[in-house]
Every structure is written in C-alpha cells, then in structure tokens.
Amino acid sequence: MSISAIVTAAGKNSRMRRDQISRNLEVKNKLILPFNNKTVLETTIDNTLSSNIDECIVVLGHYSDEIMRDISNNYEDSVKFIINDPIDVGLSTSLYNGLSNITSDFALCVTGDQPTVSTETFNNMIDVLDKCENPYKTISILRRRKTGLLDTAEGLGMPFVAPRLNMMKYLENEDDNLNPILRKIFADGYTFYGIKEKNKKELLNINHYDDYLSLIK
C-alpha cells in the first residue's frame, strides 16, 4: 500500500496570538515555538517522517515565510513544501491542496500542531488500512472517545489515514473545519476505526498558550 503524509501548517495562529498579546509575550507562530530541542512543527514532521510513509508534504499558508525561514533547511531532501494560493482558506482546503500534490493511494493526514503524536500511533493507524478488507471505504483515526469500530464521527479530527481520491471528493469545493466533513463521510457508510493513543498528551492540539505550556512540562 502506497501512502503519503500531509502535514497542514497554514493556519492564522489567531488564538495563540491573542494569548501571547494578553500575556505581554513576543508574538510567534505556535508552530515555531520550542519543543523538545526543536520546534513544534519540526517535531511533528520528524514523527511523521519516521512512520511507514513514502513521502511527506507540508502545506503552508499564513506565516509561510516565517516558518520556512526557521525550518526548511532541515528538510531539503525529505519534505516537499507547498503554499496555499490564496492563503486565507480553511483547513479543508489546505488538506485538499496537499492531497492534490501526492500520487499515493492513501494519505496520513496530520496537523502541524500535533507534536506529541508518536510514530508508533501513526503506524498503528496505517496498519489498520493495510489489513482491512476494504481500505477504500475505511478511515483510521486517532480516537477521541471510543476505540475500535466507531458508531459516530462526532468530535473527530486529524490525524487520520484515508483513501486519497475518495477524501478529495468530499473536500472539493469545501472551505470548512474538518469535523462536519468527517460526519458526512461517516453518514455515507464509511467504516471509522478509532486508534488508542499511546499517552493522553497525544489527544491535545496546541491552540492556546496554556495548551503549549501543558505539553512542554
């Protein structure tokens, strides 16, 4: 099974920016904040690159110059960077643009602010599709509530592994958050399989400054 990874790193950083201003901190994109001797985004990319994938695409948008200046030299040979045009688009469009730039049949879809999700968990998600009867009608996803076969897509988001072309059909002409799209896919009869996290921190995204502080403790 061929599989590519897409890491979305194109957001406005608005919630983190507000928190930094309210605390009189230097305003920095959350993706380039320090994390385990790297940056948040570098840690996410490294965990992704170490998983069983064939290539990695990073989708940039807002703050692309700042992000590229801080990290791109470390990934000249291992990551392809693309930039949304226009840049002011939702997560679903960023993901669609990433999927449009790969050739693999399946995609591991990750957000750049998920540095705590381990390579082991990514591989567990990939293994589900590799072994299931109908991978083209299956989405393997980091659980939020239950594990195993899921009876709802409520509350779900990235990371997940999905068939590329089928996912693109749902994302095309959408400019929205991901969960409503996942709920529609579920309603259309796709099998959703929830993967258990390695530890509780894997379930946290870095949206606010307090999220960041809790993860670097």
Side-chain angles (χ1 to χ4, degrees):
M1 183 175 80
S2 64
I3 183 160
S4 300
I6 297 164
V7 179
T8 59
K12 292 181 179 179
N13 196 51
S14 53
R15 286 173 287 189
M16 180 65 74
R17 181 183 177 88
R18 284 196 299 270
D19 289 353
Q20 290 169 330
I21 291 172
S22 70
R23 294 167 185 246
N24 294 316
L25 297 170
E26 179 187 0
V27 175
K28 292 187 71 173
N29 189 292
K30 63 182 178 180
L31 298 177
I32 58 173
L33 290 173
F35 195 91
N36 292 345
N37 300 315
K38 302 175 187 176
T39 63
V40 168
L41 181 55
E42 285 172 318
T43 306
T44 303
I45 292 172
D46 288 350
N47 290 342
T48 304
L49 285 172
S50 296
S51 65
N52 297 326
I53 61 165
D54 299 299
E55 65 174 340
C56 181
I57 305 285
V58 175
V59 184
L60 301 173
H62 293 278
Y63 303 97
S64 60
D65 290 344
E66 182 181 354
I67 293 170
M68 289 291 283
R69 184 175 62 245
D70 274 45
I71 77 160
S72 63
N73 288 341
N74 299 332
Y75 298 102
E76 287 181 351
D77 299 322
S78 56
V79 172
K80 178 182 178 182
F81 293 91
I82 65 170
I83 300 177
N84 288 332
D85 183 17
I87 64 169
D88 196 14
V89 295
L91 176 58
S92 62
T93 301
S94 291
L95 189 53
Y96 181 86
N97 290 341
L99 290 166
S100 300
N101 278 272
I102 65 172
T103 56
S104 299
D105 292 335
F106 297 89
L108 167 63
C109 304
V110 185
T111 63
D113 62 353
Q114 295 180 315
T116 55
V117 182
S118 64
T119 298
E120 179 181 338
T121 296
F122 289 145
N123 283 338
N124 287 340
M125 289 193 290
I126 292 168
D127 285 346
V128 166
L129 263 75
D130 199 27
K131 295 174 182 176
C132 72
E133 287 186 10
N134 190 358
Y136 291 95
K137 289 282 286 185
T138 301
I139 291 181
S140 175
I141 195 162
L142 179 62
R143 71 104 187 190
R144 298 305 191 273
R145 298 168 188 165
K146 296 180 180 179
T147 59
L149 289 175
L150 302 181
D151 56 9
T152 178
E154 294 291 332
L156 295 176
M158 285 153 60
F160 61 80
V161 181
R164 169 183 173 255
L165 292 177
N166 292 3
M167 194 72 201
M168 287 180 69
K169 292 176 184 176
Y170 285 94
L171 293 170
E172 191 173 12
N173 300 319
E174 296 285 349
D175 191 30
D176 199 353
N177 290 326
L178 205 55
N179 184 255
I181 297 168
L182 290 172
R183 294 202 307 268
K184 184 176 181 181
I185 296 171
F186 184 87
D188 283 348
Y190 279 69
T191 297
F192 277 59
Y193 195 94
I195 298 298
K196 183 172 175 56
E197 71 282 3
K198 186 176 180 180
N199 60 69
K200 294 298 182 185
K201 286 187 174 182
E202 289 196 328
L203 300 177
L204 297 177
N205 290 22
I206 301 174
N207 292 317
H208 294 278
Y209 197 74
D210 282 338
D211 300 332
Y212 171 67
L213 293 178
S214 70
L215 291 182
I216 62 173
K217 285 180 180 178

